[in-house]
């Protein structure tokens, strides 16, 4: 008899117990003891799958205990194979962790009536008497890798490791909205799978969290104190590079610790998760120091103000620019809320060395000669409400672009932001500025490893299995090609996207069940209250406009007392719409008359008006505006 925990997603879908990766593992185990599914009775502690595939609750397991007890009494198994820690606690309470009783033998009198569940197996004890029920406990748990964001897109990085119901979550990223996400300010990963499962922990150099032991490894990136993680799990070590590059001489003097990565490789690494952002780019990413010559030329030749747009988190770049300002006798003003906050915080924490007297409040920049001023601003991705975008469009309340300004966009557009960045560049040129950006000058180096560095990391760590992370699908795929060039076979590489879990043990890696993932939209103060249907309506309004049809209807006679009146926005120029509005009005009246003396429901009348007006507008304009009928009954 085999006792599991609860049906999973695949079991629900197929109506069979133990399918998918768990089923393959069970079949392998049975074959090793010369059995098949036909020789066993399979059941679960719970009889239905908990919502969101979460762990069973104690009260849920308790409610199902009578069924399990009846099955045990009816089947009278010679051996009980226990799969899952909840099954272990239900059948053998008080045993503690699986690893503590791994390999031990339990005789019939030691197996109580079902009483709450953990991953075990059992079989008949060799030489035992007929009818004896015994158990040999064997660990069959597998480590689950759960990508929740950042695999298939740039941003919203979040992932987790799960072991016997305990989950370690790493990263909490966000993403800039794409062009079709109208009105959205930020995008977050959907964490519904994790709700109620954990707490936040900030780690130092090394810490034990349940079954996971975490070690930080220094890496070089565009933010201070960037680290990778080496996570020791019950089945082996997982190494996560995080965002990184290999720069032998970074500005802060803290290069990526390749010696430690090689040491980890010598000790043995089960799984490597590595940054794929620049897997399309050949060669090496370069150093922040490579920008010095270009910046020196700009600062030495600019006739007026210098304006530099940069990621607010790139403190190394900000430090470089502050030093250049000091070298060339320029005062520094900081524009943009995010950059001002980061500038202040980095200075307080000692990450930013700013000479006394070099900064000037934004309200006092008019007192500084243009040739003696450096403006540091946020908005390098062309965000419509950012300081740089408003500066370029002459809409900033304090500072706007002037003729002879030299503007440096010291960042590369994130995929999807190219059009917004180029629109900002166009506006700057329109107002007489000279613009330096990635296509026309060496004003940016990336914080992400390129192909040569990705190969160097693979060669250092030498993992048993590899999953590329952080990037769109093509970037993940190209990174997997590098892993093959490094000697990993196809069955040791998994290219997955958000929600596609992977299960591992010491010797194997298989795709697991899909977990819930998605996007959560931030719109103003609202988080998660804008769904896809709202974005669809916004796109509809943006593309074809809106047409509102209002009329007053007599509730008793269903005759039209007033209207219909039509109001349109974004459909057609008012002076050109007289005939269209008249024809649409007639179509609305005709649709109402079809239901005379029927006492039709208001919803049916609204649907008829919608269809009639929509057909009329499309016939004359080939446009499909959003038509909203509003009927008032009196």
């Amino acid at each position: 008899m085999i006792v599991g925990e609860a049906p999973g997603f695949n079991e629900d879908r197929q109506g069979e117990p133990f399918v998918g990766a768990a089923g393959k593992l069970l079949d392998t185990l049975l074959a090793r003891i010369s059995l098949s599914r036909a020789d066993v009775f399979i059941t679960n502690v719970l009889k239905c799958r908990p919502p969101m595939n979460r762990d069973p609750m104690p009260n849920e397991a308790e409610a199902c205990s009578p069924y399990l007890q009846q099955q045990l009494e009816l089947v009278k198994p010679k051996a009980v194979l226990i799969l899952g820690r909840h099954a272990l606690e239900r059948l053998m309470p008080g045993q503690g962790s699986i690893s503590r009783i791994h390999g031990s033998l339990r005789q019939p009198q030691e197996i109580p009536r079902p009483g709450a569940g953990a991953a075990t197996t059992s079989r008949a004890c060799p030489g035992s008497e007929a009818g004896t029920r015994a158990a040999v406990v064997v660990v069959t748990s597998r480590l689950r890798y759960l990508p929740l964001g950042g695999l298939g897109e740039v941003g919203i990085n979040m992932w987790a490791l799960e072991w016997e119901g305990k989950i370690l979550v790493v990263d909490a990223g966000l993403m800039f909205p794409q062009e079709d996400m109208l009105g959205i300010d930020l995008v977050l990963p959907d964490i519904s799978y994790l709700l109620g499962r954990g707490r936040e922990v900030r780690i130092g150099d090394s810490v034990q969290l349940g079954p996971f032991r975490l070690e930080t490894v220094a890496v070089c990136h565009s933010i201070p104190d960037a680290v990778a993680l080496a996570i020791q799990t019950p089945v082996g070590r997982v190494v996560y590079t995080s965002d990184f590059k290999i720069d032998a001489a970074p500005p802060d003097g803290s290069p990526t610790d390749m010696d430690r990565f090689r040491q980890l490789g010598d000790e043995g690494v089960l799984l490597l998760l590595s940054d794929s952002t620049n897997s399309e780019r050949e060669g090496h990413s370069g150093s922040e120091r490579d920008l010095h010559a270009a910046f020196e030329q700009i600062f030495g030749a600019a006739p007026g103000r210098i304006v530099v747009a940069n990621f607010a988190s790139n403190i190394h770049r900000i430090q470089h620019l502050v030093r250049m300002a000091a070298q060339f006798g320029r005062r520094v003003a900081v524009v943009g809320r995010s950059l001002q906050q980061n500038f202040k915080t980095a200075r307080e924490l000692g990450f930013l060395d700013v000479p006394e007297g070099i900064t000037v409040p934004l309200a006092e920049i008019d007192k500084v000669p243009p040739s003696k001023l450096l403006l540091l601003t946020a908005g390098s991705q062309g965000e419509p409400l950012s300081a740089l975008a408003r500066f370029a469009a002459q809409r900033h309340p304090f500072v706007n672009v002037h003729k002879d300004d030299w503007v440096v966009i010291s960042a590369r557009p994130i995929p999807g932001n190219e059009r917004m960045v180029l629109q900002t560049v166009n506006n700057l040129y329109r107002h007489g500025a000279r613009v330096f950006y990635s296509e026309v000058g060496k004003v940016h180096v990336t914080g992400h490893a390129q192909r040569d560095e990705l190969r160097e990391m693979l060669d250092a760590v030498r993992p048993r299995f590899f999953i590329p992370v952080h990037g769109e699908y093509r970037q993940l795929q190209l990174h997997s090609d590098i892993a093959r060039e490094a000697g990993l076979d196809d069955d040791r590489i998994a290219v997955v996207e958000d929600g596609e879990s992977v299960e591992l043990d010491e010797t194997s890696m298989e795709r697991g069940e899909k977990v819930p993932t998605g996007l959560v939209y931030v719109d103003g103060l609202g988080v998660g209250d804008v769904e896809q249907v709202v974005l669809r309506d916004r796109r509809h309004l943006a593309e074809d406009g809106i047409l509102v049809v209002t009329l007053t209807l007599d509730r008793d006679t269903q005759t039209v007392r007033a209207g219909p009146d039509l109001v349109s926005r974004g459909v057609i120029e008012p002076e050109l719409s007289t005939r269209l509005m008249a024809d649409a009005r007639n179509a609305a009246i005709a649709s109402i008359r079809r239901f005379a003396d029927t006492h039709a429901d208001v919803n049916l009348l609204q649907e008829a008006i919608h269809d009639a007006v929509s057909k009329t507008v499309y016939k004359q304009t080939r446009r499909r505006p959003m038509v909203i009928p509003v009927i008032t009954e009196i």
Side-chain angles (χ1 to χ4, degrees):
M1 181 174 179
I2 298 174
V3 181
E5 301 214 317
F9 175 80
N10 289 327
E11 284 82 356
D12 272 0
R13 185 173 57 183
Q14 299 183 28
E16 297 180 14
F18 283 95
V19 296
K24 293 178 184 177
L25 187 63
L26 177 60
D27 291 336
T28 300
L29 177 64
L30 289 173
R32 287 176 181 170
I33 55 176
S34 302
L35 294 175
S36 69
R37 288 187 182 229
D39 302 310
V40 299
F41 178 83
I42 304 177
T43 187
N44 284 303
V45 172
L46 264 68
K47 307 309 174 188
C48 59
R49 178 172 174 244
M52 305 301 295
N53 205 29
R54 60 164 169 76
D55 269 8
M57 302 294 288
N59 63 319
E60 295 169 335
E62 185 65 39
C64 294
S65 274
Y67 300 99
L68 181 57
Q69 177 60 27
Q70 289 178 18
Q71 289 171 331
L72 284 164
E73 292 171 354
L74 290 171
V75 174
K76 295 183 174 63
K78 292 184 178 180
V80 179
L81 179 96
I82 306 173
L83 299 169
R85 63 188 175 87
H86 291 281
L88 176 66
E89 183 61 26
R90 181 61 40 185
L91 290 171
M92 303 171 67
Q95 298 296 325
S97 67
I98 300 165
S99 57
R100 192 179 70 81
I101 56 173
H102 169 59
S104 61
L105 184 67
R106 294 293 183 270
Q107 296 295 340
Q109 65 272 18
E110 296 177 88
I111 302 179
R113 295 167 61 89
T120 69
T121 72
S122 66
R123 65 172 177 148
C125 178
S128 60
E129 298 178 2
T132 298
R133 187 183 347 148
V136 177
V137 182
V138 182
V139 175
T140 61
S141 294
R142 291 169 70 84
L143 180 69
R144 296 181 76 204
Y145 165 69
L146 308 170
L148 303 175
L151 274 71
E153 62 274 313
V154 175
I156 61 169
N157 297 330
M158 176 176 278
W159 60 280
L161 292 177
E162 183 173 12
W163 176 263
E164 295 178 3
K166 293 182 172 60
I167 300 178
L168 172 71
V169 183
V170 180
D171 275 348
L174 54 82
M175 183 172 72
F176 292 110
Q178 299 173 0
E179 288 189 17
D180 61 346
M181 300 176 183
L182 301 177
I184 299 302
D185 300 316
L186 291 173
V187 184
L188 307 176
D190 182 351
I191 60 170
S192 55
Y193 180 79
L194 304 173
L195 292 180
R197 289 174 176 256
R199 59 192 176 89
E200 179 185 2
V201 178
R202 294 179 173 87
I203 66 173
D205 292 334
S206 181
V207 67
Q208 186 78 36
L209 297 175
F212 309 105
R213 183 159 191 84
L214 284 74
E215 172 195 349
T216 60
V217 183
V219 295
C220 177
H221 186 47
S222 56
I223 62 173
D225 281 355
V227 295
L229 295 178
I231 306 169
Q232 188 64 48
T233 78
V235 293
R237 181 181 278 119
V238 176
V239 172
Y240 169 58
T241 68
S242 186
D243 292 337
F244 82 102
K245 62 185 291 183
I246 299 176
D247 183 350
D252 63 352
S254 299
T256 295
D257 190 352
M258 294 306 297
D259 287 340
R260 181 53 184 152
F261 281 112
R262 280 186 280 270
Q263 209 171 39
L264 290 169
D266 293 339
E267 295 168 5
V269 171
L270 175 71
L271 174 65
L272 174 63
L273 307 168
S274 185
D275 177 17
S276 306
T277 306
N278 272 341
S279 62
E280 297 169 290
R281 307 185 79 184
E282 296 289 346
H284 196 280
S285 60
S287 171
E288 181 72 24
R289 299 177 188 276
D290 297 340
L291 297 178
H292 190 77
F295 283 166
E296 198 166 43
Q297 185 176 1
I298 291 170
F299 274 77
R305 299 186 303 183
I306 299 175
V307 182
V308 182
N310 180 43
F311 280 115
S313 60
N314 196 339
I315 303 301
H316 299 330
R317 187 75 42 83
I318 295 171
Q319 180 67 81
H320 195 166
L321 292 164
V322 168
R323 287 174 179 157
M324 295 298 299
Q327 179 183 338
F328 285 88
R330 287 180 178 258
R331 302 286 299 280
V332 178
V334 183
V335 187
R337 184 168 47 195
S338 61
L339 187 57
Q340 288 173 342
Q341 183 62 50
N342 281 16
F343 192 95
K344 177 176 178 289
T345 303
R347 197 173 181 181
E348 291 171 351
L349 295 176
F351 290 119
L352 197 57
D353 181 17
V354 181
E356 287 297 325
I358 197 172
T359 59
V360 57
L362 200 55
E364 299 178 14
I365 61 173
D366 289 341
K367 301 175 182 178
V368 180
S371 62
K372 295 296 181 181
L373 183 63
L374 167 66
L375 295 172
L376 298 178
T377 178
S380 61
Q381 296 302 302
E383 307 96 303
L385 297 180
S386 68
L388 182 65
R390 290 187 292 166
F391 173 85
Q394 298 278 6
R395 291 187 290 105
H396 196 280
F398 298 110
V399 56
N400 291 296
V401 60
H402 293 169
K403 188 177 183 299
D404 295 329
D405 282 349
W406 283 24
V407 181
V408 179
I409 301 179
S410 189
R412 192 177 66 172
I414 291 172
N417 291 351
E418 294 90 350
R419 190 195 64 80
M420 292 189 296
V421 171
L422 291 178
Q423 180 60 45
T424 298
V425 172
N426 289 333
N427 283 338
L428 291 167
Y429 274 122
R430 285 190 183 101
H431 293 101
R434 182 175 178 182
V435 189
F436 302 84
Y437 52 107
S438 54
E439 281 78 5
V440 298
K442 178 68 173 176
V443 292
H444 174 63
V445 292
T446 180
H448 299 271
Q450 296 181 191
R451 291 180 69 87
D452 287 355
E453 297 154 273
L454 298 177
R455 174 61 186 270
E456 186 175 344
M457 180 62 73
L458 280 159
D459 290 342
V461 175
R462 306 181 302 282
R464 184 171 299 153
F465 302 110
F466 174 68
I467 299 176
V469 299
H470 296 190
E472 297 183 3
Y473 193 82
R474 68 182 187 282
Q475 295 164 327
L476 305 179
Q477 189 64 51
L478 288 168
H479 199 174
S480 74
D481 292 341
I482 301 173
R484 290 184 186 90
E485 294 170 4
L488 273 73
D489 296 331
D490 285 346
D491 62 353
R492 294 168 58 193
I493 302 170
V495 178
V496 296
E497 295 187 89
D498 297 343
E500 297 175 357
S501 69
V502 177
E503 298 184 357
L504 306 101
D505 59 23
E506 294 94 334
T507 60
S508 66
M509 175 175 69
E510 295 178 347
R511 291 176 183 260
E513 296 179 348
K514 193 168 179 62
V515 299
T517 58
L519 304 177
V520 175
Y521 302 110
V522 179
D523 185 359
L525 297 178
V527 178
D529 56 352
V530 174
E531 302 288 347
Q532 281 293 337
V533 63
V534 176
L535 292 182
R536 184 194 65 197
D537 288 345
R538 289 180 180 182
R539 287 192 289 270
H540 192 174
L541 290 170
E543 292 167 0
D544 294 304
I546 185 172
L547 182 58
V548 181
V549 184
T550 62
L551 60 86
T552 302
L553 197 67
D554 189 299
R555 181 182 291 107
D556 298 322
T557 65
Q558 286 203 319
T559 57
V560 176
R561 290 293 189 89
D565 297 318
L566 284 77
V567 178
S568 70
R569 292 291 184 272
V571 180
I572 194 171
E573 290 287 338
E575 57 268 22
L576 302 177
S577 65
T578 304
R579 179 188 167 191
L580 175 63
M581 293 298 105
D583 290 347
R585 184 175 186 276
N586 292 335
I589 293 173
S591 68
I592 291 289
R593 286 174 178 165
R594 286 172 39 219
F595 295 92
D597 302 322
T598 65
H599 294 281
D601 182 76
V602 169
N603 292 328
L604 185 61
L605 296 176
Q606 288 177 327
E607 184 178 342
I609 293 172
H610 173 276
D611 292 347
V613 172
S614 295
K615 288 178 182 177
T616 300
V617 173
Y618 182 76
K619 184 177 180 180
Q620 294 190 26
T621 66
R622 289 297 185 269
R623 300 171 188 168
R624 299 186 186 276
M626 181 179 289
V627 176
I628 301 180
V630 179
I631 298 177
T632 303
E633 290 185 304
I634 60 172

